[in-house]
Each structure stands twice: as structure tokens, then as C-alpha cells.
């Protein structure tokens, strides 16, 4: 993401289209953050946002919205967006999650570099400063060490209908609390023996202000700091301070953090007044999270799907993780389009999965090359076509609606034995069926055009011992080849695709569908596993036109009649392709 910070001026941005843009434009007009400078004395952008994931799992579709909002606002207002890992819980965090999050944000189309450098940060970078600030709060009688058990703390915290009770340790002297805190840091105590709490108001109607915890003991190895620390700051303490240390202007998060904002403001006001943080401090704003039907985003439940082998891993194409969505074949552009269309509001609601699929179709239609693929193969034998001979055929790589690609052609041969779809033959046709069916006593067999090839007439079929149709026979008309002068003499209603058996590429094709049959699989305490879709994955052997033999990983195609498919980024190899169905050509999904 390139940014021009020349003289600290911000170029004009798009007209406000949501409340966050309105806030930013008001701040730009007022110069709310115009005078800030970085540690080297250089002017800071007036808009600095951040995407702050915890490295305790894989990003999912909901995170895509937050990424697009934060990086998009920074881009549109000539600002900067930091990528920061809020890594304060060593028991659940791993380098694996850091690596996949970095990869996913980049794949989605965003970067955290600008003309001043790379803005990739970790909350653990600030552990020494966070510790010093906690010591200050204790000495200023704004925090204390509590020695209640977790159960006692929970009982005394009260609830929405009952005010909390002061801890018996709330009035500990600053000196005693500071001594205990330093001994906690030195490793003298077990996990849970003591905890540091901010001293605010145990009677507050906002539960987050009832002396929230800011430091706890955790004898755990940290993926970056190793065993240096056995005390770790709480998320609600770390997050606002990290924002301020990174000179964030607009701290944008989802609505579940709305009730946490008063503590955010309380903390930054006290620490900036004490000289720890630069003013003006960041301000938090909340927008509604992205809720998509037929999807769950609970990390616990997603992990359950993985751990119980219900899916094939975090990157299973049925998963709503960004690595899964990517492997399914979704494009970064389609996700950005979808997130943009869902808008930014303060009202929670549900977006139907069809909107996401529609954005993908819209993105892929002009740029996905077309190809033929037979997914349910049935042999078609052209009895009067010379055995061993072939005739060259060709077809557009892109449809006529995209004239910029008009000269691009794909080439494939026709021979006497072809693969067609099973549904393109019917022994006893129903009314309105215009594909292949055999002759009867008083009528000849049907005629259809083999797309980009010849017109053929059905003459019969073969069955195996079980009565299953295994081959269809026909004759072709040599003067009917598409694109030749004689082809206009043949008027047929049916038009089917095909692939020469001798030249077909055999491939594994995975037909993916929605993981759940219920649009709200875990709502109201429901057992989400009861809504698993048994048809969410089906693996078949299909036949593809010859040009797909050397498809590269993540090459996307529209298989005509079938939908959009992608060469699997893990399993597909040149010469041995594996394709995933990303989405069908139209929304026809039913339970």
C-alpha cells in the first residue's frame, strides 16, 4: 500500500458513504490528528488504522470484513494501516497462526508498508512498556493486586441486576501491591494466586468497569518472548495502549467491543495525562460484524470440526477460514467486492451466502477462461466417423460478451468416440427434452449439435447386464461442422458439450457445497453438527478437454454448464490436475 505523506497533507478522499467515513472526514476537516509526529519528529498520517488479530487461530470470512474496512479506509484517505498481533495469551498462540494470518492478509490484497517502512507489530514488542505502565497505575492508586480466587472474584463482581462488592484487597497500599506485582514478575507465585486489577467502580452498570483485570500470572512459554515473562497483560489493557504506542487515530472494531470502550478511554486518559502516551489519543469506533448464513465463525467450533475429522483441515474448501475460501477458489477481488457491498453500519444483521457467491460469479465471469468438462461421463460412439482419424475443432476461450479476448481460441480434436454427460441422453424422453434419445418404430432418433463440432443423430444405445446405459450410438453429418457454410442447413434445438475419449484429461474433481443445511446452524444453542450437509463434498473422476492437462495451481476456469472451478493449490500438479468446484453458474441451492 503506497502512501504519500508529503508535508502531512491528505489528498481528497471519496465522499462519505458510511458513518466511519463521515467521522474520518470530520476529523480531517478539523485537523484532529494533523499535528502528530512520530518518534523521529516526522509528520504522521492523519488517518492511521490497524488490523489487530490474536494469533490463536485462522482468519475467517468475518475477519475479511475487518481487514477490508481498516486497510480500505487507510488507502482511501492516504493513511496507513498497521498489522498488529495482539499476542498476550501464550497458551493459545503459535507461530503457525502468525504465518497464516500474514499470508491471508497479503492474499486478500493488502500490505502494511508505506514510504516510511513496514508497519508489522506485535503486542509482545511492548511488554516492557506495558509492565511500566501497570506499575505506574499501582503507584497512582489506580490499580491494585487482588488475591481473591477466581471464584471469589466472579461472585463479588455481581451481575447486571446486582452491583459488585469491593475486593477485601482493594484498599491495599500502593507499596504492598507494587511489591506483590514485582514478586509476581519474579515468578514467586503460582498461576491464579494474584491478579492485578484497575481500580474503577465496582458499582458501575457497565460490567467492564468493575475493576477489570489488567495482569495475570501465566507460567507459559511465549512464541516470541520465550520464558522471559511469567505474567502477561490482559487483552483489554494491552489493546488500547498498543493503539496509542502505534499512533493509531481511528481504532475500528466490531460491536461486541462497544461496552469495552469506556475502559479503553479511561486507560488512555490516565496514561496520556501521566506522559506515557502522546495526545491526542486514539478513539474507538464500532461497526456491525459480518454474519453470513450457512456459516459458523466460532473458533472453538471450527477447531472442533478439524479435531474431529469432520473436515480435512483448516484449509478444507468447505471451511469459512480465509485459507479454506482461497482453496475453494474464491478470489481476493470477489471478497473485497462482497465486503464493500455489505456496507458499514451499526446494525447487526445477516447476509445471505448467495450474496458472496454472486460477487464471485460477477468477478470471475469476465476473466475466467472457458473449458469443457464432462463430470458424469457416458460414451457417445459416432459409427460413421472414420476410426483413428480426428478433425480439429476450436472454441473461444472467453464468451462473445468480452470482445477484448475475441481472438483467443482453444483447440481440441473430435474423434469417433466421445464423452458426453449422462443427462444428455434419455432412453424415453420427457416432453421438452431436446438432447439425445433413440429412434422409435415411427420416428428417427433425435439430432443435436456437438458444440463447436458436428450435428449427430442418435441411432441406438447399449446397456450392461444391470440395465445401465453404457454407450450411445449415433451418426454424424460431415457437412454440418460448426463454422462451415453447410452448417447453416441444420436446424437443431439441442446443443451438448463433449470431449474426445482418446484426448481427454482424466482428473479428480471435488464438488463442494455449503457445509450446513441450516442458515443459522449454531443459533439458539443448537447442535451445529446436526445441520452438517452430507453432500458438502463429493469426489468424482471427470474428463477435461486437452488444454487443461497442465493447469497450474489456482488456475480458475468456467467449466461450461457446470460452474467455476479452480486447480487445487495443494494437490493439483501439472499433468495430473485436481479441480475444486468453487460455485455453480447460478444460485440454485436448496436443502
Amino acid at each position: 500500500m503506497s502512501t504519500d505523506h508529503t508535508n502531512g497533507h491528505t489528498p481528497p478522499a471519496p465522499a462519505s458513504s458510511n458513518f466511519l467515513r463521515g467521522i474520518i472526514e470530520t476529523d480531517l476537516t478539523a485537523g484532529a490528528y494533523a499535528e502528530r509526529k512520530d518518534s523521529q519528529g516526522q509528520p504522521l498520517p492523519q488517518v492511521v488504522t490497524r488490523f489487530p488479530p490474536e494469533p490463536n487461530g485462522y482468519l475467517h470470512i468475518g475477519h475479511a470484513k475487518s481487514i477490508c474496512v481498516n486497510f480500505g479506509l487507510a488507502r482511501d484517505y492516504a493513511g496507513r494501516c498497521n498489522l498488529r498481533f495482539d499476542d498476550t495469551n501464550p497458551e493459545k498462540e503459535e507461530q503457525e497462526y502468525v504465518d497464516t494470518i500474514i499470508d491471508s492478509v497479503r492474499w486478500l490484497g493488502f500490505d502494511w508498508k508505506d514510504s516510511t517502512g513496514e508497519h508489522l507489530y506485535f503486542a509482545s514488542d511492548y511488554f516492557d512498556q506495558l509492565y511500566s505502565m501497570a506499575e505506574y497505575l499501582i503507584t497512582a492508586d489506580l490499580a491494585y493486586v487482588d488475591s481473591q480466587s477466581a471464584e471469589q472474584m466472579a461472585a463479588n463482581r455481581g451481575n447486571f441486576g446486582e452491583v459488585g462488592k469491593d475486593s477485601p484487597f482493594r484498599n491495599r497500599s500502593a507499596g504492598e501491591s507494587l511489591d506483590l506485582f514485582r514478586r509476581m514478575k519474579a515468578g514467586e507465585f503460582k498461576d491464579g494466586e494474584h491478579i492485578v486489577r484497575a481500580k474503577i467502580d465496582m458499582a458501575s452498570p457497565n460490567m467492564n468497569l468493575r475493576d477489570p483485570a489488567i495482569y495475570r500470572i501465566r507460567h507459559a512459554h511465549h512464541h516470541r518472548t520465550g520464558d522471559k515473562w511469567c505474567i502477561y497483560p490482559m487483552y483489554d489493557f494491552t489493546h488500547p495502549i498498543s493503539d496509542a504506542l502505534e499512533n493509531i487515530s481511528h481504532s475500528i472494531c466490531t460491536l461486541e467491543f462497544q461496552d469495552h470502550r469506556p475502559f479503553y478511554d479511561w486507560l488512555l486518559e490516565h496514561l496520556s495525562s501521566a506522559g506515557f502516551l502522546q495526545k491526542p489519543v486514539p478513539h474507538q469506533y464500532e461497526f456491525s460484524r459480518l454474519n453470513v448464513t450457512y456459516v459458523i465463525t466460532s473458533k472453538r467450533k471450527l477447531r472442533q470440526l478439524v479435531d474431529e475429522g469432520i473436515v480435512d483441515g483448516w484449509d478444507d474448501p468447505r471451511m469459512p477460514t480465509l485459507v479454506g475460501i482461497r482453496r475453494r477458489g474464491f478470489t481476493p477481488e470477489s471478497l473485497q467486492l462482497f465486503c464493500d457491498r455489505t456496507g458499514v453500519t451499526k446494525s447487526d444483521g445477516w447476509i445471505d451466502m448467495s450474496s458472496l457467491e454472486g460477487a464471485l460469479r460477477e468477478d470471475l465471469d469476465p476473466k475466467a477462461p472457458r473449458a469443457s468438462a464432462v463430470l458424469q461421463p457416458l460414451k457417445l460412439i459416432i459409427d460413421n466417423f472414420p476410426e483413428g482419424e480426428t478433425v480439429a475443432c476450436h472454441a473461444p476461450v472467453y464468451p462473445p460478451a468480452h470482445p477484448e479476448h475475441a481472438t483467443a481460441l482453444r483447440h481440441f480434436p473430435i474423434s469417433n468416440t466421445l464423452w458426453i454427460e449422462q443427462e444428455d441422453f434419455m432412453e424415453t424422453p420427457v416432453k421438452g427434452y431436446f438432447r439425445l434419445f433413440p429412434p422409435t418404430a415411427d420416428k428417427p432418433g433425435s439430432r443435436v449439435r456437438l458444440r463447436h463440432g458436428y450435428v449427430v443423430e442418435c441411432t441406438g444405445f447399449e446397456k450392461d447386464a444391470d440395465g445401465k446405459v453404457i454407450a450411445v450410438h449415433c451418426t454424424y453429418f460431415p457437412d454440418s461442422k460448426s463454422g462451415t457454410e453447410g452448417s447453416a442447413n441444420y436446424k437443431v434445438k439441442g446443443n451438448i458439450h463433449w470431449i474426445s475419449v482418446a484426448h481427454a484429461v482424466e482428473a479428480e474433481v471435488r464438488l463442494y457445497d455449503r457445509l450446513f443445511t441450516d442458515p443459522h446452524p449454531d443459533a439458539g444453542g443448537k447442535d451445529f453438527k446436526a445441520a452438517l450437509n452430507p453432500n458438502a463434498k463429493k469426489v468424482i473422476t471427470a474428463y477435461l478437454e486437452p488444454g487443461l492437462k497442465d493447469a497450474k495451481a489456482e488456475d480458475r476456469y468456467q467449466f461450461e454448464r457446470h460452474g467455476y472451478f479452480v486447480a487445487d493449490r495443494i494437490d493439483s500438479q501439472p499433468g495430473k490436475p485436481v479441480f475444486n468446484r468453487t460455485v455453480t453458474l447460478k444460485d440454485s441451492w436448496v436443502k
Side-chain angles (χ1 to χ4, degrees), residues 247-290:
N247 299 302
I248 303 303
S249 57
H250 302 80
S251 180
I252 299 164
C253 55
T254 46
L255 281 174
E256 62 262 37
F257 293 98
Q258 182 170 272
D259 289 341
H260 298 246
R261 187 181 350 126
F263 180 55
Y264 185 105
D265 295 340
W266 180 93
L267 190 59
L268 294 190
E269 173 59 30
H270 283 292
L271 292 175
S272 61
S273 295
F276 285 98
L277 304 171
Q278 178 183 185
K279 289 188 175 183
V281 296
H283 191 83
Q284 177 177 302
Y285 303 95
E286 308 87 17
F287 69 100
S288 59
R289 63 183 296 170
L290 178 62

Side-chain angles (χ1 to χ4, degrees), residues 39 87 112 217 256 417 422 436 512 528 547 560:
S39 57
D87 54 344
W112 40 93
I217 303 169
E256 62 262 37
T417 306
Q422 293 176 14
L436 289 168
Y512 288 107
F528 68 98
E560 293 173 322

Side-chain angles (χ1 to χ4, degrees), residues 154-170:
N156 288 333
R157 191 165 179 250
N159 53 50
F160 290 109
E162 178 186 2
V163 299
K165 299 175 183 176
D166 286 356
S167 165
F169 304 98
R170 196 175 196 267

